[in-house]
Amino acid sequence: MVESREISEKNTWEGFLDDHTEANFLQSWLWGDFQASLSRKIFRVGFFENQKLLGLMFAYIETSKRGKFLVVPGGPIVDWKDKDLLKKFAEELRKIASDNSCVFVRCRPQLVDDNFSQVTFNKLGFKPAPMYLHAELTRQLDITKSEEELLANMRKATRYEVKKAEKLEIKIEKNGEKNIEKFYDLQIETANRQKFVPFSKKFLLNQFDIFIKDEKAILYTAKFEGKILAQAFIIFYGQEAVYHYGASTEDGRRYPGAYLLQWEAICEAKKRGMSRYNFWGVSPEGSKDHRFAGLSLFKRGFGGQDVAYLPAQDLVVEGKRYLVDYWFEKLRRKIRKV
């Protein structure tokens, strides 16, 4: 019989994730610490059978003006063919959500979007969510190849920009308290230019502080003649490095600092023995009206392939209140063009 209980030891949690290639930073102990730093209630649940740990689920409660909902990002990390384990997973979600007066549960699992994943979540009582939770269509690069092969597989224009940045001797700085503070300002500037809602200062700085102190992240800053061109916050976790956030200046449009940032991060991930570099979210191919169409073209220039995860799924707890959220988020996604 599968049982669930809280896991309070970081080593137990991370030791389990070390043995699973699908483990990702969204289910890491550090992501839990980050969510807790925002005063969110968090849950670190382990699924056991005869004292053997079978799976993990990190979740937290998000509060909005329309009510509370439970979030399971990039997880759970379980054997998706174990029916008893999945049944316990769904039961635990309903219990936590009900005990905490949540309207619904939103989950974006680390599962490829196919018939198996769709049927699995449908049987558990989930329905497609009106809004994304985290990147669903991602661009991922196999970095087990040599640096020469990686360069050769880039789009010609991308390879040219990387080499041009090196010839111009664009400088790449790592971390630095001033750079982190500047990143927040630069994000505001980028958000105003590209018309999106930026993260709060606390959201960004808390995240940087927690991941950088554990040597699981690097903030890269590209400079030319003393001026910042671009910045990128990369998370290094498990077998994957993730281009989590980025921002650029007007000068960055004239000089290829952003290209060199990505190449430096890819090389760092290789040094750490990782197998893939995740450029994170991209728009569908040929979707010119998508807000991220230009950025997606930049990401795809480095090579790799698109990997589509199962879109966010909702488990409804309070039907009438959920309908209000559903249509509000449906409209919001249409307005955002995402």
Side-chain angles (χ1 to χ4, degrees):
M1 181 177 177
V2 179
E3 299 177 334
S4 62
R5 61 175 180 265
E6 179 188 1
I7 292 181
S8 57
E9 295 293 330
K10 181 179 179 180
N11 289 342
T12 300
W13 188 275
E14 290 298 324
F16 182 87
L17 293 184
D18 284 343
D19 294 330
H20 292 77
T21 57
E22 74 274 25
N24 60 98
F25 77 93
L26 294 170
Q27 283 287 300
S28 71
W29 190 269
L30 292 178
W31 195 251
D33 286 347
F34 162 60
Q35 295 296 339
S37 78
L38 301 177
S39 299
R40 290 171 175 165
K41 189 173 183 179
I42 69 169
F43 305 86
R44 293 183 173 116
V45 180
F47 299 102
F48 297 82
E49 187 172 47
N50 297 324
Q51 302 303 312
K52 181 182 179 181
L53 182 57
L54 301 178
L56 298 176
M57 178 190 74
F58 166 68
Y60 64 91
I61 292 178
E62 181 83 70
T63 302
S64 72
K65 293 179 180 179
R66 298 174 307 284
K68 295 188 293 185
F69 61 98
L70 186 66
V71 177
V72 184
I77 306 301
V78 297
D79 178 354
W80 291 99
K81 294 182 180 179
D82 187 330
K83 294 182 180 179
D84 290 336
L85 177 54
L86 295 184
K87 180 181 178 182
K88 189 62 180 178
F89 158 64
E91 287 177 356
E92 187 68 17
L93 286 181
R94 288 189 177 92
K95 182 179 184 305
I96 294 174
S98 180
D99 289 349
N100 290 276
S101 302
C102 293
V103 178
F104 62 93
V105 179
R106 180 157 296 166
C107 176
R108 198 284 270 151
Q110 203 77 344
L111 274 176
V112 172
D113 186 18
D114 58 17
N115 184 67
F116 171 78
S117 60
Q118 293 166 14
V119 170
T120 296
F121 268 77
N122 180 263
K123 287 182 177 180
L124 290 173
F126 285 81
K127 60 187 293 183
M131 177 62 82
Y132 61 87
L133 180 56
H134 292 286
E136 296 171 351
L137 180 61
T138 65
R139 187 68 174 185
Q140 300 187 23
L141 177 66
D142 175 3
I143 58 174
T144 59
K145 301 173 183 177
S146 68
E147 291 184 12
E148 291 74 20
E149 288 178 290
L150 290 172
L151 282 166
N153 290 335
M154 290 180 187
R155 186 182 292 125
K156 184 179 179 181
T158 300
R159 185 169 58 251
Y160 170 79
E161 296 290 6
V162 170
K163 294 297 184 182
K164 180 181 177 182
E166 291 176 335
K167 289 180 180 178
L168 288 171
E169 296 185 348
I170 288 175
K171 305 297 182 183
I172 304 296
E173 296 179 357
K174 297 180 181 180
N175 300 329
E177 186 176 340
K178 290 183 179 179
N179 285 342
I180 291 174
E181 290 284 346
K182 180 60 182 175
F183 184 80
Y184 172 72
D185 296 333
L186 191 51
Q187 184 219 195
I188 298 297
E189 180 184 321
T190 304
N192 290 335
R193 189 170 66 240
Q194 297 183 0
K195 310 299 181 185
F196 67 86
V197 180
F199 294 111
S200 70
K201 190 170 187 177
K202 182 179 180 180
F203 185 94
L204 287 173
L205 298 189
N206 285 17
Q207 196 173 146
F208 292 155
D209 184 56
I210 288 169
F211 277 86
I212 288 173
K213 280 185 177 178
D214 213 49
E215 297 184 347
K216 290 292 191 294
I218 295 176
L219 176 67
Y220 290 93
T221 302
K223 290 184 176 181
F224 183 62
E225 296 180 344
K227 296 180 179 179
I228 292 179
L229 303 178
Q231 292 184 294
F233 182 60
I234 314 296
I235 291 179
F236 299 87
Y237 185 82
Q239 286 298 305
E240 181 179 76
V242 179
Y243 174 29
H244 197 34
Y245 303 122
S248 60
T249 65
E250 288 296 332
D251 287 321
R253 294 185 172 190
R254 295 191 289 272
Y255 301 100
Y259 291 89
L260 190 58
L261 285 184
Q262 294 300 319
W263 180 237
E264 288 275 343
I266 289 169
C267 291
E268 174 65 26
K270 283 183 62 62
K271 290 177 185 176
R272 295 189 182 210
M274 295 178 166
S275 60
R276 62 185 179 275
Y277 187 86
N278 192 338
F279 287 93
W280 212 226
V282 290
S283 60
E285 287 273 16
S287 182
K288 296 181 180 179
D289 292 334
H290 197 283
R291 198 178 75 197
F292 300 129
L295 180 59
S296 300
L297 182 65
F298 164 76
K299 292 178 178 181
R300 289 187 172 109
F302 289 87
Q305 61 181 6
D306 287 355
V307 176
Y309 291 114
L310 181 69
Q313 303 287 305
D314 285 352
L315 185 64
V316 180
V317 180
E318 296 186 26
K320 290 183 178 179
R321 292 176 66 191
Y322 176 76
L323 280 176
V324 176
D325 273 283
Y326 182 88
W327 290 110
F328 176 83
E329 292 191 322
K330 194 90 170 174
L331 178 61
R332 186 173 64 165
R333 186 164 192 170
K334 184 177 181 180
I335 293 173
R336 288 186 177 185
K337 296 182 178 181
V338 291

